[in-house]
Structures are given as C-alpha cells and as structure tokens.
Amino acid sequence: MNKRGLAAGVENEMQITFPSLSINEGIARAAAAAFTAQFNPTIDELADIKCAVSEAVTNCIVHAYRDRIGVIRINFRICANRVLRIEIKDQGCGIPDVEAARVPLYTTDPQGERSGMGFAVMESFTDRMRVKSAVGKGTTVTLYKKMSGRE
C-alpha cells in the first residue's frame, strides 16, 4: 500500500456498480469521462475511452444478462506512467470461446441484429485489451490506455 492507501503502482482508483439496464450505459460513459479528466486528456483520448467503455457495458447488458437484469462493476485505475486501466466485470452467462468472440463479425445473435464488432471496437480505442470469461460465471474485460503527456 502506498501513502494514499492504494496498491503499489496505483495513483488513484474508483469503482462503480450498477444494474444492467440500458439507461446505465450513459452513466458508465459519464463516469469514465469524469475519472479520465484527471489526466487532462485530449478530446480524442476522452472520446476513445468513452466509446470503449460504452461497448464493454453494452456487451454486458445485451449478451451477459440476455433476458435478465444483473450487476455490472467497473473499476477505474490510474497506474504508473499515465496508464489508465478500466476493468468491466459481469456475472452473466460467460463466453464459451473468447478467441472466436474476438474475431470481427462473430456473433451469437440468432436474429443477426448484432454486428459482432464490440471487441474489435474496444481494441481499436485502447492500447491493450484482456478478456477473461467462464461459462456460467461471467466475463471480465480489462482495457488499458496510455494517456498523453499533457499536464
């Protein structure tokens, strides 16, 4: 623990928890923008973060909890060297094949109403993305973005 009571290498941290209601996707975007403001980000950096978080939360709402309401947790963390780490976690149905799900245009939507681009979008707006999932237990998506050196 450092003098702020945070884990080593962590400069600040915030966690939010909310039900998987579609209206809360906007709250997640706003929380991401508010937390990221500590970096004095560029407009592009802020838009990238908001879009990536929006995609991750939408995946939880639409896929993880298909026909029910569940809980979504987001942990925002400022790490050393101006790295923003965002972890989006659900306790939904899980992803049977994460590698297949990461391929653009892959979808499990039987009606074909979904584009299958969520993970590709998240990856395009961040520097790195990690996905861990277990069927019946849920999914955790961790996004990393190195923020510019603006002060």
Side-chain angles (χ1 to χ4, degrees):
M1 294 286 223
N2 62 25
K3 61 185 173 186
R4 296 178 184 168
L6 300 167
V10 176
E11 297 176 16
N12 197 9
E13 181 171 40
M14 177 180 80
Q15 183 168 308
I16 61 171
T17 304
F18 52 90
S20 61
L21 301 169
S22 60
I23 188 114
N24 289 335
E25 180 270 335
I27 292 170
R29 285 174 63 94
F35 190 80
T36 303
Q38 297 171 73
F39 287 107
N40 190 21
T42 66
I43 292 171
D44 288 340
E45 287 174 328
L46 195 54
D48 289 353
I49 294 301
K50 289 168 56 179
C51 188
V53 167
S54 177
E55 284 294 329
V57 170
T58 298
N59 274 358
C60 295
I61 293 167
V62 172
H63 300 293
Y65 297 116
R66 294 180 185 138
D67 298 319
R68 65 185 177 96
I69 303 301
V71 174
I72 300 171
R73 288 183 179 80
I74 304 179
N75 178 275
F76 301 95
R77 183 178 279 182
I78 295 175
C79 301
N81 300 316
R82 297 182 62 82
V83 172
L84 174 63
R85 176 187 174 272
I86 304 171
E87 183 180 84
I88 301 97
K89 187 173 189 170
D90 66 62
Q91 295 174 317
C93 63
I95 302 169
D97 187 344
V98 171
E99 291 309 310
R102 290 181 74 158
V103 173
L105 304 179
Y106 175 87
T107 184
T108 57
D109 181 10
Q111 282 80 36
E113 295 178 15
R114 294 286 173 198
S115 69
M117 295 298 291
F119 285 137
V121 168
M122 285 180 250
E123 281 187 299
S124 72
F125 290 118
T126 59
D127 298 319
R128 193 175 77 166
M129 179 181 75
R130 186 179 73 218
V131 181
K132 288 186 177 181
S133 192
V135 174
K137 295 184 179 183
T139 302
T140 301
V141 174
T142 308
L143 308 169
Y144 298 88
K145 179 116 176 137
K146 171 91 164 132
M147 304 302 287
S148 68
R150 292 173 22 139
E151 293 294 330

